[in-house]
Amino acid sequence: MEKFLVLVFVLPLIAGFVSYIAGLKGNHLSKIFTAIVLLTNLVLSYKIFKYVMASADNRIIAVFSGWMPPLGINFYADSIAVIFLLFANLLAFASLFSAKLSYSNRFHGLILLLTAALNGLILSGDIFNIFVFFEILCLVSFALVAYYRKAESIEASVKYFVLGSIASAMLLIGIALIYAKTGTLNLAQIADMAPQWSGLFKAVVFGLLLVGFGVEAGIFPMNAWLFDAHPAAPYPVSALLSGIVIEVALYLFLRIKSLFFVDPLFSLVLLLLGLVTFAVSELVGFYQRDVKRLLAYSSAGQIGLMLMAFSLPTKIGMFAGLLLFINHLLAKGLLFISVGSMSDRSGDRDIDRFSESASFVDKVAVLAGGLSLLGVPPSIGFMGKVLLFIALVKAGFLAFALCLIPFVVLEALYVMRLVGRTLASSGDGRIECPGQVVVQWVFTFIIIVLPIIVSRMSIQTDKLNLNGFNKQDYLYGMASQLLKGDRL
Amino acid sequence: MMLLDMIKADNLAFFFSVLTIGFFVANTIFLIFSGIKKGIVLNTILSLFLTMVLLMLYATHNIVIFFALWEMATWLTYLLANNPKKSSKYLWASLLAEFFMLIAVARTVAYGSYDIAMVAHVDPLNLIMFCLPFIVKSGILPFNFWVTDLYTGSDKRFVAYLSAIIGKLGIFGILRVFLLSPGLIPEWFIYTFIYLAGITAVWATFKAVGSEDAIESLSFSSLSQVAFIFASVLLMNKSALIGGLVHYLNHMLIKMGMFMAVVYIWAKTGTTEFKRLGDFVSKMPFSFLFFLMLGISLAGVPPMGGVISKWFMYEGFIEESKLLAVLLFFVAGVGSFLYVYRLLHSIFLGRKKPSIGLVSEMNILAILPLAASALISFLIGVYSRPFIRFAAKALGMDFSEPRTDIGFAYIGIVSAVFGALILFAVVLWLLLPKHRYVPDTEGYTAAAYLPKDIQHWDYSYNFYAPVVRLGDKFVRLFSLDWLARFWKEYIAAIGELFRGIYSGSLKLYGFYLMSVIVLVLFLKEMLK
């Protein structure tokens, strides 16, 4: 099983270059090859997921070439990492499957490299490798955003590049400071020494890492690139950027935060940042007419909610964060694929005109994705939202919960405007890529079925008493693990 | 099993469930057989789903599930209204209130309970936050700014459901919480909302009287009646509570039947504007008869059921010495005579309009629910005891010892007198000379120009002009659309401020970059 852990990273990394070369003979060959690799990766990540969930200590470690830490490189997957791994690979496969055939070998190769970087980031047990994978992720993302080579996409990519470079520099400075202080790059070993750091040192490193990861995660005020990059990118890329890339950056930062910065003050700072990110994004998103830009603001808003949930040092908060993450990945992936392809077909991203060529499946997908994103019961978004409010109140942050209210309503209004326009479309459009139809139906099905699975888990346990979840509740187990700051 | 444990079906749940199922069945029969084909399948499926959600809502005592079901009801209402633009105010007002409910839920969970009975135990603020959606859904001032848009803009197939069931959902919520929290409700809360409900009733009555559209008039009438029931329920007085529940039943029947008739006319003529309707009695005599019976009930005139329920509600207010509230509801009650007459006159009586050629009487299956609602309402009026007992049982009260027997014996006498008067009127109608139809141009003199627009020469337009002028200032004062506008503009201003951050200008991003570098250098200096 350890080999699989290495394979999910190495396979798409090598295949990225092979796919590009294969594509020189034609886009079809490149796309088929990429799809096979991503499907293999999805199967592998599912195997890892199943293995980790079934194992006694819910984790798996792979050491490269027998070199033990701190000298060697290691991959580490706990139960939260495997959830991220599974969904990252699912979305990567779905994005490619829904992509138009006209996308070139360059696109396919970059998607594979992006998947490799994501998998590496999720699994890395070493802070320097995290930086390396982070760099790969950024570079590939810049290229994907600029894929169309139009003025809009190049400008968006440049902005992304400028901010991304600053983020990388901050991250590198932060890592260098840590290394200078501890002499190791292994996360677990750093975590053991972190309690001895001075308050000021902690604050500086925390700030540097926050800026480093915060840019990619879309945390306010470092998320200015996001609202240009999402609309300018091809729709499968927007789905990936919004559905998993920003979440993985957030996950990494929170993972490092839970290991190194256990002081409640840091949690409070993140809680505040989460609230501000959510509030500002929803406020500005409310006035957007460009549908992809509107969805980008919604993504930043959801990141704010996730940040708040994960910042709470309670099991319910963690559980809420996980549910919000899964919900956002599925709903936003589906929305970007549907809305993006509709606006591509109609040649217009304006909210009044983008859906002129909507098909039936587009309407169903946008309705399911929109309602799930807003947390309409019984979606898992609803469960996440309720648990977040309960977690905030239980942790004594009633004021934060109250502050969220107007902005949650704002999001509901503008997302429903998008849904309403799609449903009102009289167009009978045809979708160019049959794979997109399959992805839309499958994601819609998952969105409908997932609440039943999750609520069954919840209802089995003592009348929704969240303190009474038992071991069978995987998500709860994962939340506990993250809370404990499980380490190598 | 755990889910079943959480659902404790009690008498209150049974009462509301019976009414909701009854309404759904009757409404579905009407929609299927009335010949309205477009959009019926989706409407029926969503309505069925909404009905199931409501049944679960009535039964549950678990606050998390209650909240989930309440929110589902809101969203389904929004979808069934099928007019995103007109229902957006409803959506944001409801969601805003529901998030306060969610905070109350979270606080109750943090308090250590999932039981709805414990909501009031946390503190009074928790109770108020939990009850906010009930107040919004009932359209009580100042939370009534969504009402006009939703009722007038809703899908016509859904408007009966909206008026008969959804509009009164807040009453169930209040009953569910208040009956489980005796002695824990702050008095100021009760009295404040009783008087606000009184003002709402008068406001909505004026709006109904001045309305130029049958659906709009009936909708405002619903709001007025719901406010009356809402206040009675808040009072927590035995007579008022029973009167409130009987009126709930009665009003559901009235609005079900009246809306069915109006929706049928809309389906046939494509309009519900008064100025385009008239003299439909000649084509729809049975519909007129049942509409008339229900109108009498709505106005609270014997021998129909409205008088019974209103009597009990007034009795409750008088027992609690809430004379100002009595006065407010009395004004609203008098106003109900005006709009009921307007509805009857403008739709079924009055001048013949071109639209009459499009209508014919409903078929027997479609008219069945209308007839049933009129007959049950009549039964409530002449033999109210079983209905009152049903309401009392739902409230967990023993009604074997009524405070007065006025609700039974005296109403019987009044009904008999009114029955005799109606009989006398019928005899007069048979004996006296009949009306005759005259052409519109009979009163035409001196080659005067006859305007084409009906509103300039037909008396069915601006029917109650003096009354509308009388209440104009009052209606304007309490029409809180400005609140919604203010909210929108306020948000726009803040949004504009923040939009500057995402201006897309590289210069601005350069400024951010420089700021960060300065900050880092500053921190570096501090580290030394």
Side-chain angles (χ1 to χ4, degrees):
Chain A
M1 193 52 64
E2 286 80 2
K3 284 174 188 164
F4 286 177
L5 215 55
V6 180
L7 211 56
V8 285
F9 165 69
V10 174
L11 188 64
L13 186 69
I14 297 167
F17 299 101
V18 178
S19 172
Y20 181 79
I21 296 161
L24 296 173
K25 291 277 179 191
N27 288 343
H28 279 70
L29 188 63
S30 166
K31 183 167 181 178
I32 292 166
F33 175 73
T34 309
I36 292 168
V37 173
L38 288 178
L39 185 63
T40 312
N41 243 30
L42 180 60
V43 174
L44 288 176
S45 47
Y46 178 69
K47 290 262 183 200
I48 296 167
F49 171 80
K50 263 187 80 176
Y51 176 83
V52 170
M53 290 305 180
S55 67
D57 55 354
N58 293 125
R59 61 183 175 181
I60 177 172
I61 303 154
V63 179
F64 283 59
S65 312
W67 287 84
M68 293 303 289
L71 299 173
I73 298 168
N74 65 85
F75 272 5
Y76 165 76
D78 57 17
S79 41
I80 293 186
V82 290
I83 271 269
F84 273 84
L85 188 73
L86 181 67
F87 279 101
N89 285 287
L90 174 71
L91 192 61
F93 179 68
S95 299
L96 180 91
F97 207 62
S98 64
K100 288 185 282 193
L101 284 172
S102 55
Y103 290 134
S104 69
N105 55 341
R106 188 160 47 89
F107 174 83
H108 300 137
L110 287 170
I111 289 281
L112 283 168
L113 291 179
L114 186 77
T115 311
L118 281 170
N119 291 345
L121 277 169
I122 294 166
L123 297 173
S124 180
D126 177 313
I127 198 164
F128 188 73
N129 281 325
I130 286 178
F131 171 73
V132 174
F133 298 138
F134 190 78
E135 280 289 283
I136 299 172
L137 184 87
C138 289
L139 289 170
V140 174
S141 302
F142 304 151
L144 279 169
V145 169
Y147 176 78
Y148 284 134
R149 296 186 188 178
K150 290 178 185 168
E152 184 200 17
S153 49
I154 290 170
E155 189 190 333
S157 183
V158 169
K159 279 178 195 168
Y160 188 9
F161 178 75
V162 170
L163 283 171
S165 305
I166 297 166
S168 298
M170 297 289 172
L171 194 58
L172 191 60
I173 297 169
I175 292 168
L177 283 175
I178 291 172
Y179 184 69
K181 194 86 170 174
T182 60
T184 179
L185 292 165
N186 183 273
L187 286 173
Q189 288 173 334
I190 299 168
D192 286 336
M193 293 180 228
Q196 284 105 50
W197 295 347
S198 70
L200 187 61
F201 182 80
K202 267 188 189 174
V204 172
V205 174
F206 178 80
L208 289 167
L209 296 185
L210 176 64
V211 175
F213 287 111
V215 168
E216 196 62 33
I219 297 171
F220 180 86
M222 297 157 279
N223 53 5
W225 64 271
L226 195 145
F227 314 111
D228 291 327
H230 281 53
Y235 67 84
V237 177
S238 307
L240 269 172
L241 286 179
S242 178
I244 190 73
V245 172
I246 54 176
E247 277 87 346
V248 164
L250 182 71
Y251 158 73
L252 280 170
F253 177 63
L254 290 166
R255 190 160 169 233
I256 289 172
K257 183 247 159 198
S258 71
L259 288 170
F260 305 167
F261 310 102
V262 286
D263 195 323
L265 186 68
F266 296 119
S267 296
L268 189 64
V269 169
L270 292 183
L271 205 60
L272 263 169
L273 272 177
L275 178 65
V276 176
T277 305
F278 181 68
V280 173
S281 306
E282 302 308 357
L283 261 173
V284 186
F286 187 66
Y287 291 96
Q288 295 305 316
R289 294 199 60 81
D290 179 327
V291 279
K292 284 180 83 180
R293 207 173 170 87
L294 181 148
L295 288 176
Y297 278 102
S298 160
S299 297
Q302 292 291 319
I303 280 289
L305 280 188
M306 282 179 239
L307 183 60
M308 287 180 83
F310 282 124
S311 304
L312 290 167
T314 61
K315 291 168 188 174
I316 306 175
M318 296 292 164
F319 190 42
L322 279 170
L323 288 177
L324 288 170
F325 156 71
I326 296 169
N327 181 57
H328 183 248
L329 180 139
L330 293 169
K332 201 51 74 64
L334 185 59
L335 281 172
F336 261 117
I337 288 169
S338 309
V339 169
S341 78
M342 271 189 277
S343 56
D344 270 11
R345 289 201 299 274
S346 63
D348 202 330
R349 295 207 303 259
D350 186 90
I351 194 157
D352 288 332
R353 295 183 293 275
F354 82 100
S355 59
E356 277 168 6
S357 58
S359 66
F360 177 68
V361 64
D362 285 327
K363 291 180 185 180
V364 174
V366 169
L367 181 67
L371 293 182
S372 182
L373 181 71
L374 295 179
V376 173
S379 67
I380 56 165
F382 171 77
M383 295 177 196
K385 185 177 75 181
V386 170
L387 291 180
L388 173 63
F389 273 80
I390 292 175
L392 281 169
V393 172
K394 270 197 160 180
F397 295 112
L398 178 64
F400 281 77
L402 284 167
C403 288
L404 279 178
I405 293 174
F407 306 107
V408 181
V409 176
L410 275 185
E411 187 181 24
L413 291 178
Y414 74 73
V415 172
M416 283 319 288
R417 199 163 61 211
L418 175 83
V419 175
R421 296 288 197 282
T422 311
L423 294 182
S425 157
S426 55
D428 187 23
R430 276 190 70 246
I431 296 172
E432 189 191 317
C433 173
Q436 188 198 320
V437 180
V438 177
V439 168
Q440 283 173 308
W441 280 121
V442 169
F443 268 51
T444 305
F445 178 74
I446 296 175
I447 284 174
I448 294 167
V449 169
L450 207 57
I452 301 168
I453 299 166
V454 176
S455 62
R456 199 172 149 264
M457 279 164 33
S458 310
I459 287 166
Q460 276 174 348
T461 56
D462 193 21
K463 296 184 186 180
L464 273 180
N465 182 351
L466 297 163
N467 291 320
F469 279 97
N470 59 31
K471 278 195 293 185
Q472 289 164 346
D473 293 323
Y474 294 144
L475 290 175
Y476 176 75
M478 286 181 272
S480 313
Q481 231 169 355
L482 185 64
L483 187 69
K484 281 188 291 184
D486 201 7
R487 60 189 70 160
L488 184 67
Chain B
M1 283 306 290
M2 288 294 183
L3 187 65
L4 290 175
D5 285 347
M6 280 183 274
I7 295 172
K8 299 172 190 168
D10 53 13
N11 289 336
L12 190 71
F14 182 71
F15 177 88
F16 281 92
S17 302
V18 167
L19 265 55
T20 305
I21 293 170
F23 172 83
F24 173 73
V25 172
N27 197 42
T28 308
I29 290 173
F30 166 75
L31 288 174
I32 290 170
F33 293 106
S34 61
I36 306 169
K37 286 177 184 144
K38 200 180 165 196
I40 285 298
V41 177
L42 187 63
N43 180 284
T44 308
I45 292 169
L46 285 176
S47 299
L48 175 66
F49 193 36
L50 178 58
T51 306
M52 285 160 63
V53 165
L54 292 182
L55 296 183
M56 288 191 278
L57 179 80
Y58 297 149
T60 187
H61 279 227
N62 180 302
I63 43 169
V64 177
I65 293 175
F66 186 93
F67 170 73
L69 294 166
W70 187 274
E71 205 175 328
M72 279 172 89
T74 297
W75 281 100
L76 283 166
T77 303
Y78 176 78
L79 291 175
L80 276 159
N82 198 19
N83 189 341
K85 202 167 185 179
K86 286 279 185 179
S87 13
S88 72
K89 274 187 204 167
Y90 162 77
L91 186 68
W92 73 253
S94 299
L95 289 181
L96 209 56
E98 278 158 24
F99 277 102
F100 281 101
M101 181 190 250
L102 177 56
I103 288 181
V105 168
R107 293 183 80 214
T108 313
V109 172
Y111 186 73
S113 175
Y114 285 81
D115 195 336
I116 205 162
M118 298 306 286
V119 168
H121 286 262
V122 178
D123 58 33
L125 178 71
N126 203 53
L127 176 83
I128 294 161
M129 287 198 292
F130 194 80
C131 291
L132 210 53
F134 308 150
I135 299 164
V136 170
K137 205 72 105 196
S138 304
I140 304 299
L141 277 164
F143 306 105
N144 60 344
F145 47 82
W146 56 271
V147 173
T148 313
D149 276 2
L150 183 71
Y151 276 95
T152 55
S154 269
D155 188 328
K156 301 286 185 285
R157 300 164 200 87
F158 176 60
V159 79
Y161 207 131
L162 188 63
S163 177
I165 304 290
I166 299 297
K168 295 203 280 284
L169 212 51
I171 291 160
F172 166 75
I174 289 285
L175 276 172
R176 172 56 83 215
V177 177
F178 281 29
L179 287 175
L180 293 169
S181 319
L184 291 169
I185 319 297
E187 283 206 349
W188 65 264
F189 176 80
I190 292 174
Y191 298 136
T192 304
F193 278 97
I194 283 176
Y195 291 113
L196 282 175
I199 296 169
T200 308
V202 177
W203 176 83
T205 302
F206 272 115
K207 291 283 281 184
V209 168
S211 177
E212 293 298 332
D213 183 278
I215 285 188
E216 190 181 291
S217 183
L218 281 172
S219 304
F220 281 114
S221 149
S222 294
L223 190 63
S224 172
Q225 302 295 321
V226 168
F228 198 0
I229 304 172
F230 189 85
S232 306
V233 166
L234 274 183
L235 201 59
M236 283 283 129
N237 168 285
K238 188 175 177 179
S239 304
L241 273 170
I242 291 173
L245 269 203
V246 176
H247 200 57
Y248 183 103
L249 162 66
N250 206 23
H251 182 255
M252 189 203 81
L253 294 166
I254 293 166
K255 283 296 147 69
M256 182 175 88
M258 291 179 104
F259 270 115
M260 279 173 186
V262 174
V263 167
Y264 177 78
I265 289 166
W266 164 79
K268 293 290 172 189
T269 65
T271 184
T272 51
E273 281 183 281
F274 287 136
K275 65 183 180 188
R276 311 223 178 272
L277 308 172
D279 196 34
F280 281 14
V281 65
S282 58
K283 291 285 188 80
M284 303 168 67
F286 293 107
S287 300
F288 169 70
L289 174 68
F290 300 130
F291 196 91
L292 174 70
M293 287 170 75
L294 293 168
I296 290 171
S297 190
L298 181 61
V301 176
M304 299 301 290
V307 69
I308 303 289
S309 46
K310 286 190 179 180
W311 190 286
F312 273 91
M313 290 195 286
Y314 279 124
E315 198 179 309
F317 280 105
I318 292 165
E319 280 169 9
E320 298 292 327
S321 306
K322 297 286 168 285
L323 297 181
L324 183 60
V326 171
L327 183 70
L328 287 168
F329 290 117
F330 184 73
V331 171
V334 172
S336 67
F337 282 95
L338 297 177
Y339 61 70
V340 165
Y341 179 70
R342 173 87 194 272
L343 283 159
L344 284 164
H345 184 277
S346 298
I347 300 172
F348 290 100
L349 308 172
R351 191 191 292 263
K352 192 177 279 192
K353 304 283 165 56
S355 58
I356 197 164
L358 301 167
V359 293
S360 57
E361 184 57 276
M362 293 185 213
N363 68 49
I364 190 158
L365 284 168
I367 209 167
L368 207 64
L370 182 62
S373 59
L375 289 174
I376 297 171
S377 188
F378 177 70
L379 259 179
I380 296 172
V382 294
Y383 187 58
S384 56
R385 194 179 289 266
F387 298 97
I388 291 170
R389 200 171 288 137
F390 183 38
K393 202 177 169 190
L395 295 163
M397 292 173 178
D398 179 18
F399 210 74
S400 56
E401 294 173 19
R403 294 168 73 89
T404 68
D405 63 353
I406 213 158
F408 303 108
Y410 187 66
I411 292 299
I413 295 164
V414 174
S415 300
V417 171
F418 267 83
L421 283 172
I422 289 167
L423 198 66
F424 181 62
V426 171
V427 171
L428 280 182
W429 181 74
L430 288 170
L431 295 177
L432 292 176
K434 302 289 180 294
H435 67 278
R436 67 185 177 91
Y437 288 103
V438 293
D440 282 340
T441 48
E442 193 165 275
Y444 177 77
T445 55
Y449 169 68
L450 190 64
K452 280 186 180 171
D453 191 345
I454 205 165
Q455 70 193 47
H456 293 297
W457 55 271
D458 192 286
Y459 65 85
S460 68
Y461 186 78
N462 216 357
F463 195 82
Y464 283 128
V467 183
V468 172
R469 276 199 298 276
L470 184 74
D472 189 44
K473 279 189 181 165
F474 177 79
V475 169
R476 276 168 192 260
L477 182 67
F478 290 104
S479 293
L480 298 177
D481 279 358
W482 62 268
L483 203 70
R485 278 200 303 278
F486 172 78
W487 160 257
K488 202 175 170 186
E489 282 160 18
Y490 182 67
I491 294 291
I494 300 174
E496 199 54 47
L497 191 73
F498 280 101
R499 192 150 44 173
I501 294 165
Y502 306 114
S503 63
S505 156
L506 275 175
K507 286 178 199 164
L508 195 64
Y509 300 149
F511 170 73
Y512 297 152
L513 171 65
M514 293 306 294
S515 307
V516 173
I517 291 170
V518 168
L519 186 71
V520 171
L521 290 174
F522 174 72
L523 288 170
K524 200 179 160 191
E525 283 303 309
M526 281 182 72
L527 268 176
K528 279 180 182 173

